[in-house]
Amino acid sequence: YLQILKGNHFRSRSENNRIRMVYVPPPRGIITARGGEVLVKNRPAFNVELIMEDAPSPKQTLAALAKVMGEPEEEVVAAIRDQRSRRRFEPKLIRKDISRDLVGVVAAHRHALPGVVINVVPARHYVFGDVAAHLLGYIREISREQLERPAYTGYRLGDLVGQHGLEARWE
């Protein structure tokens, strides 16, 4: 009865009964001068990503996205090709830190781009540019060597960590 008569009903219910874990990168702290003047802060960065599981035809979606973004299709496909180790339900980064104008264009064509999402992630903004760079330091993606150290337990590949200066000291 469950498999033959009600099989389609229960299959549909089971396929639509999923939990998707979404990783939200934490914002880093604000660095201020002694007088309270902000030296380093966070700003929103917009990333265009593709969730393969949500795209019925990833090739068509990537072709449509390339057309919408005004970029060669080969470049967009190449961005996905480099991330084969990611699972189908994990977002694959296509473009990082795009302009707000491009965010608007992609969002306006969202109906024609199944599986394409725009994620907002925090990015560092050094208010005075390179001033005191030796003191403030910088952040970048965690390396495999760092991941093996006990100090970085709980981090995952792709996390941004402080590499030098205050960014590293107060990681």
Side-chain angles (χ1 to χ4, degrees):
Y1 174 77
L2 293 176
Q3 290 179 333
I4 297 170
L5 297 178
K6 295 290 187 176
N8 287 336
H9 169 73
F10 287 116
R11 182 181 310 118
S12 172
R13 290 197 58 188
S14 71
E15 287 178 0
N16 292 319
N17 186 18
R18 298 181 186 172
I19 295 175
R20 181 178 289 174
M21 300 294 283
V22 177
Y23 175 72
V24 178
R28 297 181 66 84
I30 296 171
I31 300 175
T32 60
R34 183 172 68 178
E37 187 175 7
V38 175
L39 301 175
V40 183
K41 62 183 179 177
N42 297 311
R43 66 169 178 79
F46 301 94
N47 297 341
V48 176
E49 299 174 341
L50 175 67
I51 301 173
M52 300 291 276
E53 188 175 59
D54 294 344
S57 175
K59 288 182 182 181
Q60 287 179 351
T61 299
L62 290 173
L65 179 63
K67 187 176 180 182
V68 165
M69 292 173 54
E71 296 183 9
E73 186 177 338
E74 300 80 31
E75 288 181 18
V76 175
V77 172
I80 295 295
R81 201 175 300 128
D82 296 339
Q83 302 174 52
R84 289 187 180 157
S85 64
R86 301 204 78 148
R87 291 177 251 163
R88 288 187 55 81
F89 60 85
E90 292 180 318
K92 294 184 179 189
L93 182 65
I94 297 173
R95 290 290 176 264
K96 187 176 189 177
D97 201 9
I98 63 172
S99 69
R100 290 178 190 258
D101 293 336
L102 192 53
V103 168
V105 170
V106 172
H109 292 87
R110 185 176 54 217
H111 65 282
L113 303 169
V116 174
V117 294
I118 298 173
N119 282 327
V120 182
V121 295
R124 290 306 252 177
H125 175 65
Y126 297 89
V127 177
F128 297 105
D130 293 340
V131 174
H134 61 287
L135 175 67
L136 298 173
Y138 64 94
I139 63 171
R140 75 166 178 228
E141 220 172 279
I142 193 167
S143 67
R144 291 196 186 275
E145 295 80 29
Q146 287 173 316
L147 278 172
E148 294 172 3
R149 296 185 204 153
Y152 293 99
T153 303
Y155 287 83
R156 61 183 225 160
L157 202 58
D159 283 347
L160 297 175
V161 296
Q163 299 295 326
H164 292 285
L166 290 175
E167 294 279 17
R169 171 67 178 99
W170 296 105
E171 179 62 34

